[in-house]
Amino acid sequence: MLCVVYWLGLVGYKEAYHLQRKLLRQRFDGEIKDTILLLEHLPTITIGKSGKLENVLVSQAQLAEEGISLFFTDRGGDVTYHGPGQLVAYPIIDLRQRGRDIHQYVHDLEEVVIRTLSSFSIGADRDDSHAGVWVKGEEIAAIGLSIKRWITMHGIALNVNPKLEHFSFINPCGFSNRRATSISKLLSQNVPMEEVMHRLIVHFSDVFNVHIEWDSGILVGSCP
């Protein structure tokens, strides 16, 4: 199967959300192939369908001072931070062609991240009680999904070199006793986003058994 990948660069959360909705409709109608959007977000705290505002630990005025927006979204999960230095992958994938197995899909996304981290000599694992990827109890990748008519939205947020101080403004994924970490922190050096991005897509291709085709044709600003 073919999967088309787009690198969008730095994109506002709302803009990327509307783009996902547009592509979801097109994927359901068979107008496009399975697609992955790769990007970084402007600083944003998102609250999922099961999220609680009290897991945002600072006021909206303080967020505004830091240049961080707040967005209530339709993915599963609680509170998550997005910002520059975090690699976000949004697969728009038709699960009707993959057994309609959501649990397997989440497992496979986690596997992609675990293999990517392993390629940097970082040992990571799952938490059976919560989707995501962890290193010694610290969250390095959040996974939150929305699935509409068996087409996936949202996806992976992998911390490459984000401003980790911003994670102190929230209880990540609702956990008050867990912190966030990043690839660069664990390796004690900066790691180029492009390198992480390409490794992640190689492992995505292997785990999901798809042929990858890179494209640069989407104009994000044209979305409603």
Side-chain angles (χ1 to χ4, degrees):
M1 286 190 284
L2 179 67
C3 187
V4 182
V5 179
Y6 297 89
W7 167 246
L8 303 181
L10 189 62
V11 182
Y13 187 87
K14 184 177 181 179
E15 200 170 16
Y17 174 77
H18 286 303
L19 177 58
Q20 288 187 79
R21 293 293 299 266
K22 175 183 176 181
L23 294 175
L24 182 146
R25 293 190 296 269
Q26 292 177 335
R27 185 68 190 100
F28 184 82
D29 292 336
E31 297 175 7
I32 61 172
K33 301 291 186 181
D34 284 344
T35 300
I36 303 174
L37 304 179
L38 296 175
L39 54 105
E40 297 174 70
H41 276 307
L42 296 168
T44 309
I45 289 173
T46 66
I47 302 179
K49 290 188 294 185
S50 59
K52 298 177 181 178
L53 189 57
E54 52 261 39
N55 283 321
V56 179
L57 306 178
V58 297
S59 69
Q60 292 195 37
Q62 289 173 285
L63 292 179
E65 288 179 7
E66 292 285 336
I68 301 172
S69 61
L70 185 66
F71 195 95
F72 289 84
T73 189
D74 61 354
R75 62 160 172 78
D78 207 294
V79 176
T80 302
Y81 169 77
H82 296 301
Q86 182 187 72
L87 177 60
V88 175
Y90 289 143
I92 312 297
I93 287 181
D94 189 349
L95 293 184
R96 294 174 298 179
Q97 301 178 3
R98 295 184 174 275
R100 307 184 188 221
D101 190 334
I102 297 172
H103 293 292
Q104 184 63 49
Y105 177 62
V106 172
H107 185 277
D108 288 345
L109 290 179
E110 292 169 338
E111 184 65 21
V112 169
V113 175
I114 288 169
R115 292 188 189 187
T116 300
L117 293 171
S118 179
S119 75
F120 288 98
S121 300
I122 296 173
D125 50 34
R126 298 175 175 84
D127 182 330
D128 292 337
S129 66
H130 188 84
V133 178
W134 312 80
V135 177
K136 297 180 179 178
E138 294 185 325
E139 186 174 45
I140 194 166
I143 293 178
L145 306 175
S146 172
I147 298 174
K148 301 179 187 298
R149 300 186 296 179
W150 295 106
I151 311 297
T152 66
M153 274 182 56
H154 304 288
I156 301 167
L158 172 59
N159 297 334
V160 178
N161 187 30
K163 191 172 183 179
L164 288 176
E165 294 88 346
H166 283 171
F167 287 89
S168 68
F169 297 165
I170 64 172
N171 289 325
C173 296
F175 291 107
S176 60
N177 60 343
R178 299 192 186 187
R179 297 180 179 178
T181 190
S182 69
I183 293 175
S184 293
K185 179 184 177 183
L186 292 168
L187 298 182
S188 299
Q189 65 182 44
N190 285 332
V191 177
M193 180 66 71
E194 184 176 0
E195 184 176 352
V196 179
M197 173 179 69
H198 283 284
R199 292 195 193 191
L200 184 137
I201 290 302
V202 166
H203 293 297
F204 190 97
S205 175
D206 290 341
V207 171
F208 282 86
N209 191 28
V210 293
H211 173 73
I212 296 297
E213 179 181 291
W214 289 84
D215 199 313
S216 58
I218 287 185
L219 297 176
V220 181
S222 66
C223 296

